[in-house]
Amino acid sequence: MGKEIIRLVETDITALAVDAIVNAANNSLLGGGGVDGAIHRAAGPGLLAECRTLHGCPTGGAKITKGYNLPARFVIHTVGPIWQGGNHDEAQLLRSCYHNTFALVEAQHITTIAFPAISTGAYGYPAMEAACIAVRETLAAAERITFLQQVIFVCFNIGTRRAYEEALQ
Ligand code: AR6
């Protein structure tokens, strides 16, 4: 299994009928702006109610909920690092987001998943460096998780798309 399981798609992640979509959440897991706000709006109040029972999530961690009104069956909430110049463990924490998300994928037998570009919006992580981490962690997971069929990287803007294209070279 290699790069052929990866697809770049320009869409709103909440529209995707995959097993799981990933949310770029914050430590509270109680919603916010960006993709987090869009996911909570589309999923409806059931999602927030379940998130309240999770008591937050550390940076680099991941927790799973149902998808409620979303076409996706699950939402995997992960908390990316805030970019602080690159010397504050940001890369390790972002790698952990992907690693811990794929651990849940494996445990729940998820075969199709879509990721936003975690940390690259409000949290300011450089798109190119984030895309390299996303691709590398995905290829490593695909080697291990034999039932994984498709990983979609949602490109919400042109800069994100270019970064993934380059990272896939
Ligand atoms: N579908 C797919 N991607 C999207 C969508 C969408 N509907 N909306 C935005 N993006 P961000 P972060 C892209 O800021 O940097 C929240 O307030 C966006 O263009 O959503 O991890 C949380 O509560 C960018 O490429 O997440 C946290 O407080 C990417 O998603 C904080 O923001 C990530 O941007 C997390 O910041």
Side-chain angles (χ1 to χ4, degrees):
M1 273 298 185
K3 287 179 188 172
E4 64 278 3
I5 74 162
I6 294 176
R7 267 180 61 202
L8 307 184
V9 177
E10 282 154 48
T11 187
D12 178 345
I13 201 168
T14 64
L16 291 175
V18 284
D19 287 347
I21 62 171
V22 177
N23 184 14
N26 57 57
N27 296 120
S28 77
L29 297 186
L30 299 180
V35 70
D36 194 5
I39 288 172
H40 275 273
R41 272 194 301 280
L47 180 62
L48 181 59
E50 185 175 355
C51 282
R52 285 191 197 286
T53 70
L54 300 176
H55 306 293
C57 182
T59 303
K63 293 192 176 182
I64 192 164
T65 64
K66 291 182 283 183
Y68 297 91
N69 298 337
L70 290 164
R73 202 147 62 90
F74 296 109
V75 179
I76 297 177
H77 307 261
T78 188
V79 184
I82 297 173
W83 180 258
Q84 296 176 77
N87 291 319
H88 292 79
D89 251 3
E90 291 97 327
Q92 188 52 44
L93 290 165
L94 189 58
R95 275 196 289 273
S96 291
C97 289
Y98 287 92
H99 186 84
N100 289 321
T101 296
F102 281 116
L104 291 169
V105 164
E106 197 166 12
Q108 299 293 331
H109 281 258
I110 285 163
T111 64
T112 56
I113 185 166
F115 285 91
I118 299 162
S119 278
T120 68
Y123 282 180
Y125 208 108
M128 190 63 235
E129 290 164 47
C132 286
I133 289 173
V135 167
R136 206 173 302 128
E137 289 299 317
T138 296
L139 294 177
E143 292 247 312
R144 189 178 82 238
I145 309 171
T146 51
F147 52 80
L148 192 59
Q149 287 171 8
Q150 188 150 78
V151 177
I152 295 173
F153 291 137
V154 176
C155 307
F156 209 59
N157 49 61
I158 187 69
T160 301
R161 188 177 181 101
R162 292 212 179 101
Y164 282 125
E165 280 171 352
E166 211 168 307
L168 282 164
Q169 295 287 310

